Amino acid sequence: MELIDIGCNLTHDAFDQDREAVLERARDAGVVQCIVTGASEDGSRKAQELALSRPGTLFATAGVHPHHAAQFNDASEALLRELILREGVVAVGETGLDYFRDFSPRDAQRDVFQRQLEIGIDSGLPMFLHMRDAHGDFHAILREARDRLSDVVVHCFTGSRDELHDYLDLDCHIGITGWICDERRGTHMKDYLGDIPANRLLVETDAPYLKPRNLRPRVKTHRNEPQWLGWIVGTLAAARGEHPSAVAECTTDNARRFFRIPGASRAHPR
Ligand SMILES: [Zn+2]
């Protein structure tokens, strides 16, 4: 089974002590490639450097998360436009709207989201998007730009059935995390995970966040790792009434097509 983690915050300082071991455990668990999320100027720079250190295995996105929208300026945009030309950068984002935390004013979030959509339009690169508690504005902004964009993924989707269908109608891909493995808040999604067409489905850990709560045996740490992506695939497959290997195969194919990346090399460079 080959899996691709399409959203992994591997530059997070939670991994500073043992990043190599984390990657090794991921590979041993069948996670053969990861897309490292760039969510700030510094984080996007680091994601690109990390991708460059493991060509063919790690890839990066370049973007600024809505949490940091208040600090976004012309230099930020110039940096992102430069980063996306560098080797290993395969998508624009993480960008979008987050009205749950509201760490940046909403008008700044909307402006910075639109500016990054323009980078996607100009570059033709796929978009890695974040939406939390902001469906109305997010959907309106995305719909307006959608025809001019290439592929789009709404990552870490946690919304309602109606929201899901709004994004499917815009021909978005849907990124599924360990949220669905959380009996306290992900159960409602199980009724409509089967609505997602197989060719629009992507899987991600969002590590170090959102450790799957159904991990067995239990592990003490709160930190999530890409090695546990298989638990998300298993939960997703059960909700869809499909075999885990079928979900693994289609999500891996989708990830390679979406991010335009080659198959994993068989070699195990240590
Ligand atoms: Zn996100």
Side-chain angles (χ1 to χ4, degrees), residues 152-165:
V152 169
V153 60
V154 180
H155 112 99
C156 192
F157 180 77
T158 59
S160 67
R161 186 194 296 265
D162 285 348
E163 292 174 7
L164 173 67
H165 281 275

Side-chain angles (χ1 to χ4, degrees), residues 51-254:
L52 210 57
S53 75
R54 301 242 175 182
T57 300
L58 298 182
F59 302 87
T61 72
V64 171
H65 194 281
H67 289 347
H68 310 299
Q71 291 87 47
F72 193 95
N73 56 29
D74 290 348
S76 319
E77 180 171 338
L79 173 71
L80 295 183
R81 286 187 180 273
E82 196 246 308
L83 278 177
I84 58 168
L85 302 175
R86 291 197 204 165
E87 207 177 323
V89 178
V90 293
V92 178
E94 170 172 16
T95 176
L97 300 177
D98 193 312
Y99 293 175
F100 178 68
R101 302 246 185 238
D102 272 330
F103 285 156
S104 282
R106 293 183 178 182
D107 56 343
Q109 291 192 38
R110 288 189 289 269
D111 177 56
V112 169
F113 179 29
Q114 276 166 323
R115 288 176 75 168
Q116 293 181 79
L117 288 173
E118 290 298 326
I119 299 176
I121 290 165
D122 294 344
S123 65
L125 285 176
M127 297 292 310
F128 185 87
L129 301 185
H130 172 104
M131 189 287 291
R132 190 145 180 224
D133 286 2
H135 175 72
D137 283 355
F138 180 95
H139 181 257
I141 291 170
L142 180 59
R143 188 180 49 206
E144 199 276 317
R146 184 65 190 94
D147 285 349
R148 294 172 290 146
L149 289 163
S150 164
D151 284 333
V152 169
V153 60
V154 180
H155 112 99
C156 192
F157 180 77
T158 59
S160 67
R161 186 194 296 265
D162 285 348
E163 292 174 7
L164 173 67
H165 281 275
D166 280 347
Y167 297 130
L168 292 175
D169 288 347
L170 290 182
D171 197 26
C172 295
H173 287 64
I174 306 294
I176 299 295
T177 60
W179 192 279
I180 64 166
C181 307
D182 186 336
E183 77 288 352
R184 300 166 307 174
R185 51 186 193 177
T187 310
H188 66 285
M189 293 176 65
K190 292 190 177 165
D191 294 338
Y192 47 86
L193 286 171
D195 292 5
I196 306 170
N199 66 357
R200 289 293 173 268
L201 201 55
L202 295 165
V203 288
E204 46 174 334
T205 58
D206 209 21
Y209 313 110
L210 297 178
K211 190 185 78 177
R213 279 174 59 89
N214 58 350
L215 267 191
R216 298 294 181 273
R218 290 176 191 276
V219 286
K220 284 212 176 96
T221 171
H222 286 298
R223 185 184 74 169
N224 194 8
E225 289 190 26
Q227 63 161 325
W228 295 317
L229 185 60
W231 291 86
I232 298 164
V233 169
T235 305
L236 178 58
R240 290 170 63 83
E242 293 170 359
H243 196 281
S245 65
V247 171
E249 197 179 323
C250 86
T251 54
T252 296
D253 287 349
N254 293 344

